[in-house]
Structures are given as structure tokens and as C-alpha cells.
Amino acid sequence: MSTGGQSLGKDVSVVIVTASGTLNIPAAAITKFDSKPVTGDEKRIGLDGQVRNNVTHEGWNGSFEVDRFNSVLDDFWAAAEAAYYAGTALPWGTIQETITNPDLSVSQYTYTQVVLKLTDIGSREGNKTIKQKLDFVASRRIAS
């Protein structure tokens, strides 16, 4: 639930779907979800002296920070690595993002043609939580 009319991180839920199915990451395990549009910028100046700016849409990228509650990310990456070395092409995945807005309406976005990359398997230290990181790139983010 939002506070002060502003959205909070806990107002967001995500479902990550890979070629082999949904990654069963408990909601409590995802401590951060970050996404950003990727754009290209071009400035052109014609012989008439006019500046013409162009912004192109070139996909999305982002990451998840995950506390290790289970072996889902380890197993996902082991399977992806095995498929790579076996010469198997893996189809793209999707990410479904659902946001409960401060007015209680719901916004949903689907990231398409998602490629995931496990960038940090996490440090193993005594009594400390194992923190993992999963990055992604996507072709589009479509309002559903």
C-alpha cells in the first residue's frame, strides 16, 4: 500500500518467465527491482541551421537483487550454462510487472524478448544473507 500518495517498492510484483517456465522466486526474496529504458540520441544540424534531435527506443535493461531463499537462480543458471555448451538456443522470456497505484488502480507492463544474466551468485559468509543479482535486457515494455 502506498504512503503519502506515492508508490512504494512493495506496491510492485514481478513474474519472471523463462523458456523452461516461471522462476519460482519468493516475493520476499526479491529486495530490489530496477528497470530503465535504453535510448539512442542523435543531434543533426541541417544546412538551414536548424537543430533536429532524435531519440530512438532501443529496449530496456534492469536487474533484480534477490536474497537466496532457494536454489532457483543457481538451478536456472546451471541449466542455461548446460544448454549453451550443448549448442541449444534458448527462447526469450518475459517479465510481467504489476503495480498497485496509490489510487488502488492497477498498472501492468510486460517486458518482451527478455534475456537474463546471473551476474552475482552471492557471497557465502557466516551468518550473513546470501545476496544474488540477476540482470536482464528486453526488447520492449508493453502496457497491458
Side-chain angles (χ1 to χ4, degrees):
M1 188 63 147
S2 67
T3 183
Q6 296 176 318
S7 296
L8 301 176
K10 65 182 181 177
D11 298 328
V12 178
S13 65
V14 292
V15 176
I16 304 167
V17 180
T18 70
S20 56
T22 301
L23 288 182
N24 186 23
I25 303 170
I30 299 174
T31 59
K32 185 176 179 182
F33 169 56
D34 177 14
S35 68
K36 295 176 181 67
V38 178
T39 58
D41 303 309
E42 182 180 28
K43 179 172 124 177
R44 306 292 293 164
I45 302 174
L47 292 178
D48 61 0
Q50 292 293 314
V51 176
R52 293 172 182 84
N53 293 294
N54 187 22
V55 175
T56 55
H57 298 266
E58 299 178 0
W60 288 77
N61 65 36
S63 64
F64 296 90
E65 290 182 9
V66 179
D67 287 349
R68 191 180 189 281
F69 276 46
N70 56 29
S71 65
V72 168
L73 291 182
D74 300 79
D75 296 342
F76 161 73
W77 197 249
E81 186 176 14
Y84 173 82
Y85 284 108
T88 304
L90 293 176
W92 292 304
T94 61
I95 297 171
Q96 180 73 43
E97 176 185 19
T98 303
I99 305 167
T100 302
N101 298 309
D103 65 2
L104 300 182
S105 64
V106 175
S107 298
Q108 287 193 315
Y109 303 94
T110 302
Y111 297 81
T112 62
Q113 295 182 342
V114 171
V115 177
L116 299 167
K117 179 173 74 169
L118 187 61
T119 55
D120 191 347
I121 199 73
S123 295
R124 279 87 164 135
E125 299 179 55
N127 290 333
K128 293 186 179 181
T129 302
I130 297 173
K131 300 173 186 175
Q132 300 178 315
K133 188 170 181 190
L134 183 67
D135 289 351
F136 74 89
V137 292
S139 293
R140 296 199 49 202
R141 179 181 183 249
I142 302 169
S144 7

